[in-house]
Structures are given as structure tokens and as C-alpha cells.
């Protein structure tokens, strides 16, 4: 793109010094950059109400294709060239509702500005650029050091191309130092994360489906300093697979370039992790655990991976027609047992988070993002507790699946189980909001149980309820908040158990939650799911009346 060369007018520059507004940068008559309320404005445009949406609307293109309004969320970087001749601004320019690409604006700096004394226009320009970056990044740290893992075989394939064309340019424009590794076999990321020098990086960025984030979390968990590593490295996600649940929950999108932008602007967010014990092993889960129709959908359709997310729909229809059931015994440590109480808990936590966010925004300086990132990392570590040495994984509070059932747990037979599905996050795929009341770090898992002995039509209606947002309220769905459980399959020699979409050997398994053990980046410090229908209208008095 040709640079914008404003007419250099000494009177115009003089006006920007005398009685200047620190928000306004007058490069020459007709070329004015203004720090508005929620956007950088060209040519004295007035700011509108604040917005930090995923794809903020950039105004109509101006001269030489430069927009006349760039939301701060979209601004990736701004700097003055070493020779003080040019002001460069890189930004994320929406191509459409599903993607952004890097745009560049280049403004010539009038000669007089570069030669000013310390009290003149030159200093004003440098301070203006610093303020622009502060407004653009807020509580997110700039130039995050990224350890990028690319799985060329993720989903239907093409992760290499997605990284090179959609994500990498966004990161480079944001001046992020990148170390890129391409994985060559399943499980390699576990070994790489286990041996990683965590002090060299701020974030890990798997480019894949949800399998690679699962491996990264488990690799960090295998380290002698597991708790420190899990609270130091924020595990992010560029969606390149079939489900892409982590990206959907953290960034509200499964589009790679939009996810990359959300990572650039992301804020540190502690997340709950779950220990799953099975056959003498301990696996860390960040997303979900399943037995029954959901697990068979996930793992039994691997041969249809080339179809992308459509494979789940095809698999579901086949299983619904079979009316397949999965007999087992289930013991659960229930913390919140009724849907209305779950909804009230969700409202209470979300309201507290919103209040804290407002207070933080009004009192915290935006010029200390590194300090904020470190504080979030510390809170993730502190939430786990400091019993024993404070280094390895937290000890198991309830033992393993091989131990005697913990006191107070009652084993309940389920003769015709349809699905046992436990989730740490809301979305399991772009149109699969199974756990509407999930929260990132409330120390609770969301457990859904459905009966398998229902008609195919009822099963299909359940699936449609997931897509429409009515799954939580469906009377056929049992929805509870739990802190631990054990499940023992019966009358089955083989089957599917899915942990974050990855298979483990079929047999009894037990799970318990660790509040805030992990760290990630999200857009706003919360999951992007909409929550249960009407959660923001529930009051205590309504609960009592109910």
C-alpha cells in the first residue's frame, strides 16, 4: 500500500504544539489522528460507544484504502521508524464476518516534528504512540513470547497452511517473538511440554484440534515443577481441527485468524483442571470426560475425520436409531444438585466477576500489563493450595479408581445409561453448548446424564436443544455441579471412554477437580458461552418462590 504523505505545513505543526489536546495528533492540515473513546479516528471522526467485540466494525475505507476508524481491539502495533520519518500502524482488518487480515497504515511525519526540542512535537508524537498502545492492549501484555506447536494432521488437515496464512501474520504484526515446532507423531507434544524451559515463554499455542492442547497440559503436568509450569504458561489455541472447543470457549470463535487476534489481546485466566485416574494412571483433563453415546460419537467416528465436524452429526443419527445403552454404576460427590440452584450459582459468580472487572478497570493502571499477567499466574498457582512441596501436581483428595469408594459416596446403578458427560467448559464444538452453566475456575465440574432408553425422535430433539440453547432446561437432562465422581462400566468387555476427545483404556475411572490449576488467555476473563437461558434474570426471591 502506498504511504500517506500529508502536506507538510509548519503552521499546522505549530498548532499541534500550542494548546494541544494530548489525544489528537495533527500531522498536517487534513490529516489528524484522534484517540477516541473506543477507536483510533482519522480526520477528526467522533468516537462512538465502547466496543470490544470479536470482529469490531471498521469504518469505510478512506484515502489509499486506509480506514477512517480502527477499533482499539483491532490495533496490533504502532511505532515510529528509526529515522523518525514515518508513523506505522498495523491492525487487523476484517475481510468478512469470519476472518481478519493484517492491514498497514503508514503516515509521513513532517520534518519539523522529527527535529523538535524535547518539549516539542517529537515528544508529543512518542507519547501519543505509547498511549495508543496502552488503549489498544489494556490489561493484555504486549509482545507475548509464544511457543507454537503445529499439528499438520489436525482435523481434516491443512494446519500448516492455516498457521502460515491466517495466524502467523497476525502474531508477527503484533511483534510477538515466535518459536514454531511442527509435531510429527501423536503424543510428541507431551514430551516437548514436559522438557520445555517455561521461563523462555509466556504462552503455548497449539495449532490443531483439541488433542494438542490436551497433550500440552499433560506434558506440563508431568514435570517435577508441574504446578509452577501450569500457572506460568498460558495454553491457548489456534483452531485447526474438528471440534475446536477450546477456541470456541475462550474466544467465541472457531475461525483461526479471529482466534489469533483474541490471543494477541487475550487476558490471563486461571482454569480448573481435572485429574482422571484409570488403571493406575493419572491423566489431566481441561475440557470433558465422557462414556456412552458422546464418547462413541467422538472416538467411534475417527474414520470420518475427513468430514470435519459433520462426522459428529452422522454418527449421532446412527446411534440414535440404535437406542444403544451403556449399563454402569456411578458414584458422584454432588455440590449443587438442582438446575435452579445451578443457575443461581452461575449468576452469582458471573455477577461477582463483572463487578470485579469494573472495579479493576477503574483503579488499575493500564500501563502495567506485565504485572497483571504475573498476578494472574500467581493466582492460578495460589488457587491450588500450598500443601506438600508446592511443586508437583496436587495430591489426590479422593484417591484413585482402584481405591475403596470414598466415605459418603453412594454407588447408584444405571441400567440404561445413554450418556455420561462431564465438562469443564461450555462448548464442546461450534454448535455444541452442552454445559451452559460451566465457569472457568469455580472449582466445579458440570455433569450431564441422559437416559439411553428414549425414542430416536426424543434423542434428535435433545441434539437440537443443544444447538438452540435449550439443552440445560430439557426435562430429559440431569444437570448437576460436582467436585468428583467414579464410574464403573458393567456387562461390557469393551467400549469408548473419551478424555478431552482422546481415548483411554475401557474400564473404571475416577475424576476430581483442581480449582485454578491451569492458565490460559481469554477475551474477557470468562468463558464466551451465553450461560443458561434467563440466568441474568434469576433472583433469590424467585428461587424461594420456586
Amino acid at each position: 500500500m502506498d504511504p500517506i504523505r500529508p502536506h507538510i505545513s509548519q503552521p499546522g505543526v505549530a498548532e499541534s504544539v500550542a494548546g494541544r489536546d494530548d489525544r489528537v495528533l495533527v500531522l498536517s492540515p487534513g490529516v489528524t489522528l484522534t484517540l477516541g473513546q473506543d477507536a483510533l479516528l482519522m480526520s477528526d471522526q467522533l468516537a462512538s460507544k465502547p466496543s470490544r467485540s470479536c470482529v469490531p466494525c471498521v469504518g469505510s475505507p478512506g484515502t489509499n484504502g486506509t480506514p477512517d476508524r480502527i477499533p482499539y481491539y483491532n490495533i496490533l502495533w504502532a511505532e515510529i521508524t528509526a529515522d523518525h520519518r514515518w508513523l506505522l500502524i498495523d491492525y487487523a482488518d476484517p475481510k468478512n464476518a469470519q476472518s481478519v487480515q493484517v492491514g498497514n497504515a503508514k503516515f509521513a511525519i513532517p520534518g519539523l516534528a522529527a527535529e523538535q526540542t524535547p518539549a516539542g512535537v517529537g515528544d508529543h508524537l512518542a507519547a501519543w504512540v505509547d498511549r495508543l498502545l496502552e488503549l489498544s492492549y489494556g490489561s493484555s501484555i504486549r509482545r507475548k513470547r509464544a511457543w507454537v506447536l503445529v499439528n499438520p494432521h489436525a482435523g481434516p488437515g491443512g494446519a500448516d497452511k492455516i498457521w502460515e496464512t491466517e495466524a502467523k501474520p497476525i502474531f508477527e504484526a503484533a511483534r510477538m517473538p515466535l518459536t514454531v515446532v511442527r509435531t510429527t507423531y501423536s503424543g510428541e507434544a507431551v514430551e516437548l511440554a514436559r522438557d520445555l524451559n517455561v521461563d523462555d515463554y509466556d504462552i503455548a499455542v497449539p495449532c490443531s484440534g483439541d488433542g494438542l492442547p490436551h497433550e500440552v497440559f499433560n506434558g506440563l503436568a508431568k514435570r517435577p515443577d508441574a504446578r509452577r509450569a501450569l500457572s506460568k504458561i498460558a495454553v491457548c489455541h489456534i483452531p485447526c481441527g474438528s471440534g475446536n472447543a477450546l477456541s470456541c470457549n475462550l474466544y467465541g470463535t472457531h475461525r483461526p485468524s479471529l482466534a489469533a487476534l483474541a490471543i494477541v489481546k487475550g487476558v490471563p485466566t486461571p482454569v480448573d483442571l481435572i485429574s482422571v485416574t484409570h488403571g493406575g494412571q493419572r491423566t489431566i483433563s481441561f475440557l470433558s470426560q465422557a462414556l456412552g453415546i458422546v464418547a462413541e460419537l467422538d472416538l467411534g467416528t475417527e474414520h470420518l475425520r475427513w468430514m470435519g465436524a459433520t462426522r459428529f452429526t452422522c454418527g449421532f443419527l446412527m446411534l440414535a436409531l440404535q437406542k444403544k445403552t451403556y449399563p454402569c454404576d456411578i458414584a458422584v460427590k454432588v455440590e449443587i444438585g438442582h438446575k435452579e440452584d445451578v443457575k443461581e450459582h452461575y449468576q452469582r459468580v458471573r455477577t461477582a466477576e463483572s463487578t470485579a472487572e469494573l472495579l479493576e478497570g477503574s483503579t488499575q493502571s493500564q500501563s502495567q500489563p506485565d504485572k497483571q499477567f504475573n498476578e494472574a499466574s500467581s493466582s492460578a498457582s495460589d488457587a491450588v493450595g500450598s500443601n506438600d512441596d508446592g511443586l508437583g501436581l496436587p495430591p489426590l483428595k479422593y484417591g484413585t479408581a482402584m481405591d475403596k469408594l470414598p466415605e459418603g459416596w453412594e454407588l447408584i446403578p444405571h441400567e440404561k445409561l445413554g450418556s455420561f458427560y462431564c465438562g469443564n467448559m461450555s462448548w464442546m464444538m461450534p454448535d455444541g453448548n452442552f454445559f451452559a452453566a460451566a465457569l472457568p475456575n469455580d472449582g466445579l465440574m458440570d455433569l450431564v446424564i441422559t437416559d439411553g432408553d428414549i425414542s430416536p425422535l426424543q434423542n434428535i430433539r435433545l441434539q437440537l436443544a443443544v444447538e438452540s440453547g435449550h439443552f440445560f432446561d430439557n426435562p430429559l437432562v440431569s444437570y448437576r455441579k460436582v467436585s468428583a465422581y467414579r464410574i464403573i462400566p458393567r456387562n461390557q468387555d469393551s467400549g469408548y471412554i473419551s478424555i478431552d476427545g482422546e481415548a483411554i483404556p475401557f474400564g473404571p475411572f475416577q475424576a476430581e477437580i483442581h480449582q485454578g490449576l491451569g492458565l490460559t488467555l481469554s477475551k474477557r476473563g470468562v468463558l464466551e458461552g451465553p450461560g443458561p437461558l434467563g440466568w441474568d434474570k434469576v433472583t433469590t426471591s424467585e428461587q424461594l418462590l420456586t
Side-chain angles (χ1 to χ4, degrees), residues 407-453:
E407 186 176 349
W409 290 26
E410 181 181 0
L411 206 62
I412 301 176
H414 287 259
E415 302 295 339
K416 297 182 178 180
L417 178 75
S419 183
F420 177 99
Y421 204 11
C422 198
N424 312 19
M425 296 187 177
S426 305
W427 273 304
M428 297 295 112
M429 60 189 72
D431 58 353
N433 187 6
F434 281 91
F435 303 104
L439 293 158
N441 46 50
D442 66 342
L444 299 172
M445 298 177 273
D446 289 39
L447 175 60
V448 167
I449 294 179
T450 59
D451 194 348
D453 191 26

Side-chain angles (χ1 to χ4, degrees), residues 240-516:
C240 304
S242 301
N244 301 316
L246 187 57
S247 178
C248 292
N249 284 287
L250 299 179
Y251 323 129
T253 181
H254 62 287
R255 307 297 181 181
S257 62
L258 299 183
L261 175 58
I263 292 170
V264 168
K265 296 303 180 74
V267 296
T269 306
V271 289
D272 296 340
L273 297 178
I274 292 170
S275 284
V276 180
T277 60
H278 53 97
Q281 298 184 51
R282 182 177 182 178
T283 300
I284 295 298
S285 171
F286 77 93
L287 182 63
S288 65
Q289 313 90 50
L291 181 147
I293 188 171
V294 172
E296 193 157 347
L297 268 179
D298 201 354
L299 301 174
T301 61
E302 283 289 324
H303 61 291
L304 301 175
R305 183 174 287 272
W306 57 271
M307 298 175 65
T310 306
R311 70 182 172 103
F312 301 122
T313 303
C314 294
F316 170 77
L317 292 174
M318 290 188 290
L319 292 173
L321 292 173
Q322 294 175 25
K323 293 182 64 175
K324 192 169 181 180
T325 59
Y326 307 83
C328 61
D329 296 327
I330 302 175
V332 180
K333 182 166 178 52
V334 178
E335 304 296 340
I336 306 176
H338 301 286
K339 289 183 181 179
E340 289 304 318
D341 294 332
V342 169
K343 193 178 291 188
E344 185 176 10
H345 168 78
Y346 184 88
Q347 181 208 38
R348 185 168 58 252
V349 174
R350 286 298 304 271
T351 302
E353 289 171 341
S354 298
T355 302
E357 186 178 357
L358 287 173
L359 291 173
E360 180 181 358
S362 63
T363 61
Q364 196 172 52
S365 169
Q366 290 181 315
S367 63
Q368 298 179 320
D370 292 295
K371 180 174 179 288
Q372 295 166 10
F373 189 92
N374 292 333
E375 287 174 349
S377 299
S378 298
S379 68
S381 180
D382 293 343
V384 178
S386 57
N387 50 351
D388 75 322
D389 58 13
L391 293 175
L393 285 177
L396 294 170
K397 184 177 181 180
Y398 300 107
T400 74
M402 311 296 291
D403 296 327
K404 181 181 177 181
L405 197 68
E407 186 176 349
W409 290 26
E410 181 181 0
L411 206 62
I412 301 176
H414 287 259
E415 302 295 339
K416 297 182 178 180
L417 178 75
S419 183
F420 177 99
Y421 204 11
C422 198
N424 312 19
M425 296 187 177
S426 305
W427 273 304
M428 297 295 112
M429 60 189 72
D431 58 353
N433 187 6
F434 281 91
F435 303 104
L439 293 158
N441 46 50
D442 66 342
L444 299 172
M445 298 177 273
D446 289 39
L447 175 60
V448 167
I449 294 179
T450 59
D451 194 348
D453 191 26
I454 59 177
S455 70
L457 181 59
Q458 287 176 309
N459 229 328
I460 291 172
R461 284 175 176 167
L462 274 180
Q463 181 65 21
L464 294 175
V466 173
E467 298 176 8
S468 67
H470 291 81
F471 184 73
F472 177 93
D473 294 308
N474 192 294
L476 296 175
V477 174
S478 166
Y479 197 115
R480 293 174 286 177
K481 289 270 188 179
V482 306
S483 57
Y485 66 81
R486 180 182 297 180
I487 184 165
I488 305 170
R490 287 193 292 108
N491 305 324
Q492 302 169 77
D493 296 327
S494 62
Y496 297 99
I497 296 173
S498 171
I499 307 298
D500 298 347
E502 303 297 312
I504 64 170
F506 191 73
F509 66 97
Q510 181 166 304
E512 66 175 75
I513 197 160
H514 308 292
Q515 186 172 14

Side-chain angles (χ1 to χ4, degrees), residues 37-80:
Q37 187 175 2
D38 69 328
L40 170 63
L41 310 171
M42 317 290 186
S43 303
D44 258 340
Q45 292 271 332
L46 294 177
S48 59
K49 62 181 181 180
S51 171
R52 279 180 64 86
S53 60
C54 190
V55 197
C57 179
V58 174
S60 302
T63 306
N64 293 325
T66 302
D68 55 16
R69 182 180 187 276
I70 306 177
Y72 293 132
Y73 181 82
N74 287 47
I75 291 177
L76 302 170
W77 199 251
E79 64 184 13
I80 303 165

